[in-house]
Amino acid sequence: MAGRILIADNVPTNRIILKVKLASAFYDVSQAATGSDALARARELRPNLIILDGNLGDMTGYAACAALKKDPLTAHIPVAIITPAHDTSARIAALKAGADEFLTKPLDELTLTARVRALMRASATSEELRRRNETAHALGFSEPASHFETPGKITLIGATAEEAMTWRAGLRGMTSDEIVIERGDHVLEAIYNGNISDLYVISAQFGGGTEGLRLISDLRARDATRTSGIVVVHGQQDRREALMALDLGANDLITRGADPEEMALRLRTQMRRKKESDQLKQTFDEGLRLATIDSLTGLYNRRYALPHLEKIAKEAYENGQHFALMLVDIDRFKLVNDSYGHAVGDDVLVEVAHRMRDNLRGMDLVARFGGEEFLVCMPMTTLMEARAAAERLRVAICARPVAISADGTPITVSASIGLAMGGGMGVHAPKVSDLIAIADQALYGAKAEGRNQVALGSYAA
C-alpha cells in the first residue's frame, strides 16, 4: 500500500538520511526544513504520515505537532516525533502534544519501517472515516461528532500475573477505562463467551514469545476483536518478536519498564483509534442509512457510491496514489430468477454481497450498482493487489452454493469481473465515468470469453 510521508528536520543531513531509508521502502517522501514550513506543507500535501524532529529551528517538534492536531485540515494525520534515546520526559512531551508515536535516535531502519507500516494502517482508517463523513455531508446529511468519552475496556496479559498487576497498579488513577487481568491461555475462551475488550496489552514474553504472536494473529482473525487495539510490551531481548508483532497486526509497542504515564498516554491514543474504528464500522446514523444503503443487500447504493468514488479518485490523483475500480456481475442471474423465483434470487444477491464484504478491507467501497451488478473501489491499491483481490472475490462467490431452492436444490453461481485502475501521477487522468466505462467494457469481455473470470480494462493494462 503506497503512502506519502512528510519529514521535518532543521538539519539537512538528517532529512536526507531519513528520506533515503523511507524511499527504499517505496514511500513518497517530502521534506520541510522548519516548523512553519512543515505546517504549510502538511496543509498543502495532506500526507499519510508526518515525522517531526524534536528541534525544528523556529519551533519545537512538540509545538508543531500540537498545531497540526488543532488544525481541522491536518488533525487526522498521524504524527511521529523523533526524540533522544532514553529521554522519558521527551517521550511523554511528544505524547502529550498529540503525537501518535515517537521514534528514538539513532533511527534503526528495521524499527523505523515497522513503525511506519503500523502508522500507515492507522492513517488509512482515519482517512476513510473522514472521507465517509464528508461524503455524508455532501449528500445533505450530518453525523454528530463523537468525542469518545465513554470508558472502554482494557485486558492486560502479562508473562506472569505479577507483571500484569504491576501494569494495573501503574495505570491506577490515570485512566477511566475498565482494566481486567486475564491469563493468556484463557483470552480466546473469554472472547468466545462474549467478554470482548477494546484494547489488549500483551507481554512479548507471554508463552515464551511465540504464544504472544499466535494470540495476536488469533485476535486479528476473529470478527469480535478484528478492530481491537493491541499493544505489545517488550524488552530489548524481545525486539525482533515485537517488530514481527507490528506486522501481524499489533498497533503499538511499549518498552518494558516504561514510565506509567507513557503507558497511559499510549493506551489513550489506542483507545481513541479503536473508537474511530468502531465509528468507521457504524459510519452513519439510521437516517443516512435509509438514503444510502441498499435495503436488500445492506451494501451502499448507487446514490452513495458515485460521489464517494469521485472523492476517492480526487484524493488519489492529488496524492499520486493508485486505486482499483471493479464491476462485478453475477453470471446468468436471470436464469436463477426464472428457474427458482425472485425470492431465491434475492437470497443469492444477499449472500454474494456478504461474501464480497467479507473478502475486502474495511476501507474499501462495496456497492450494489444495479440489479445483479456490484461496484468495488479499493483506495491505495496497486494493480497486483487489485488483481489478487478480484480473483479472491471471484473464487469466494463460486466456491460453494449461495442459496437453497424450495425443493432443496443447492444453487451455485459464478461472477465475471471487469477491473480498471485509476490514480497515479498522470496528467490526463480519466474521469470516474470513463473508468467505469473501462471496467464495464472489461466486464463485457470477461463474459464474452466464457464468464467466471477477471478481465483487465485497457487503461489498466
Side-chain angles (χ1 to χ4, degrees):
M1 184 165 60
R4 174 173 289 184
I5 301 174
L6 172 64
I7 57 177
D9 194 313
N10 68 333
V11 179
T13 304
N14 292 346
R15 295 199 303 272
I16 293 170
I17 292 173
L18 185 55
K19 179 175 181 177
V20 169
K21 289 181 177 180
L22 293 171
S24 67
F26 300 99
Y27 292 110
D28 181 11
V29 183
S30 300
Q31 301 179 56
T34 65
S36 56
D37 186 25
L39 298 181
R41 291 184 68 77
R43 288 176 62 90
E44 174 192 355
L45 300 174
R46 310 285 184 87
N48 303 108
L49 172 63
I50 300 171
I51 301 178
L52 306 173
D53 188 72
N55 180 13
L56 299 177
D58 58 342
M59 66 179 76
T60 65
Y62 316 118
C65 178
L68 289 166
K69 293 301 182 180
K70 287 180 181 177
D71 187 339
L73 288 178
T74 57
H76 64 283
I77 303 174
V79 176
I81 296 180
I82 301 174
T83 64
H86 311 301
D87 190 336
T88 300
S89 61
R91 295 199 297 266
I92 292 176
L95 295 172
K96 284 185 173 180
D100 299 81
E101 183 57 274
F102 59 78
L103 304 168
T104 57
K105 298 178 180 178
L107 292 175
D108 169 74
E109 188 165 353
L110 193 62
T111 302
L112 172 66
T113 53
R115 292 280 196 179
V116 166
R117 286 193 294 269
L119 288 167
M120 284 294 184
R121 290 196 301 268
S123 173
T125 297
S126 295
E127 276 290 310
E128 182 60 12
L129 176 62
R130 181 183 59 82
R131 192 184 294 127
R132 290 188 183 186
N133 286 338
E134 288 181 359
T135 300
H137 182 73
L139 289 171
F141 296 90
S142 61
E143 186 174 2
S146 172
H147 299 290
F148 311 132
E149 294 176 351
T150 305
K153 182 178 178 181
I154 303 172
T155 290
L156 307 179
I157 306 159
T160 63
E162 290 75 15
E163 182 178 40
M165 287 189 287
T166 299
W167 296 343
R168 184 170 63 181
L171 292 170
R172 188 171 292 120
M174 294 189 181
T175 178
S176 60
D177 299 313
E178 178 188 359
I179 298 178
V180 299
I181 293 175
E182 186 65 83
R183 279 177 45 182
D185 55 353
H186 288 178
V187 172
L188 298 183
E189 180 182 354
I191 293 169
Y192 178 79
N193 291 324
N195 297 320
I196 314 298
S197 288
D198 297 291
L199 301 183
Y200 292 87
V201 182
I202 304 172
S203 172
Q205 293 184 341
F206 155 60
T210 56
E211 289 302 314
L213 295 176
R214 186 176 302 167
L215 178 57
I216 292 170
S217 298
D218 274 327
L219 292 173
R220 285 291 173 252
R222 296 168 188 267
D223 288 339
T225 54
R226 187 163 292 149
T227 61
S228 294
I230 300 175
V231 177
V232 175
V233 180
H234 71 100
Q236 286 302 318
Q237 71 275 23
D238 312 311
R239 175 176 167 274
R240 185 168 295 276
E241 288 79 6
L243 297 181
M244 289 175 60
L246 282 178
D247 284 332
L248 285 173
N251 302 93
D252 199 4
L253 305 177
I254 299 177
T255 304
R256 183 171 288 107
D259 187 284
E261 185 177 10
E262 178 188 329
M263 176 178 274
L265 288 168
R266 283 184 172 278
L267 294 182
R268 189 177 305 163
T269 296
Q270 294 307 321
M271 186 64 74
R272 172 179 57 80
R273 287 183 185 169
K274 171 60 168 61
K275 300 297 185 178
E276 283 184 353
S277 182
D278 289 344
Q279 189 181 13
L280 177 58
K281 289 176 66 178
Q282 297 168 359
T283 309
F284 302 110
D285 59 19
E286 190 58 28
L288 181 59
R289 287 183 60 84
L290 291 173
T292 62
I293 301 297
D294 175 60
S295 59
L296 176 64
T297 63
L299 299 178
Y300 293 114
N301 59 22
R302 189 187 188 102
R303 180 188 180 192
Y304 175 85
L306 290 176
H308 190 64
L309 182 56
E310 292 281 0
K311 187 175 294 294
I312 291 173
K314 179 176 182 292
E315 294 184 5
Y317 292 127
E318 287 176 350
N319 297 330
Q321 297 169 345
H322 290 90
F323 67 94
L325 188 150
M326 304 177 204
L327 289 179
V328 182
D329 190 85
I330 301 176
D331 296 326
R332 297 187 175 91
F333 182 71
K334 184 177 183 300
L335 184 60
V336 174
N337 277 335
D338 292 346
S339 301
Y340 303 105
H342 288 276
V344 172
D346 286 351
D347 290 342
V348 170
L349 290 172
V350 169
E351 179 60 23
V352 168
H354 285 169
R355 294 185 189 183
M356 291 179 65
R357 190 163 44 201
D358 288 346
N359 282 276
L360 292 166
R361 304 169 300 183
M363 74 175 77
D364 298 329
L365 170 67
V366 192
R368 185 182 179 192
F369 212 50
E372 67 273 22
E373 188 173 72
F374 301 86
L375 178 143
V376 174
C377 182
M378 301 180 68
M380 299 176 68
T381 299
T382 65
L383 175 58
M384 183 180 298
E385 292 167 339
R387 295 186 76 158
E391 184 62 22
R392 185 171 66 247
L393 289 177
R394 185 195 65 79
V395 171
I397 290 169
C398 69
R400 62 184 190 279
V402 290
I404 303 295
S405 69
D407 63 3
T409 302
I411 301 169
T412 301
V413 298
S414 63
S416 300
I417 302 176
L419 169 64
M421 296 297 297
M425 299 300 292
V427 176
H428 304 292
K431 298 178 181 178
V432 164
S433 57
D434 295 334
L435 282 177
I436 293 175
I438 291 169
D440 191 53
Q441 187 63 34
L443 174 62
Y444 179 83
K447 287 188 173 292
E449 291 296 321
R451 300 180 174 85
N452 193 25
Q453 58 187 281
V454 177
L456 191 60
S458 57
Y459 178 78

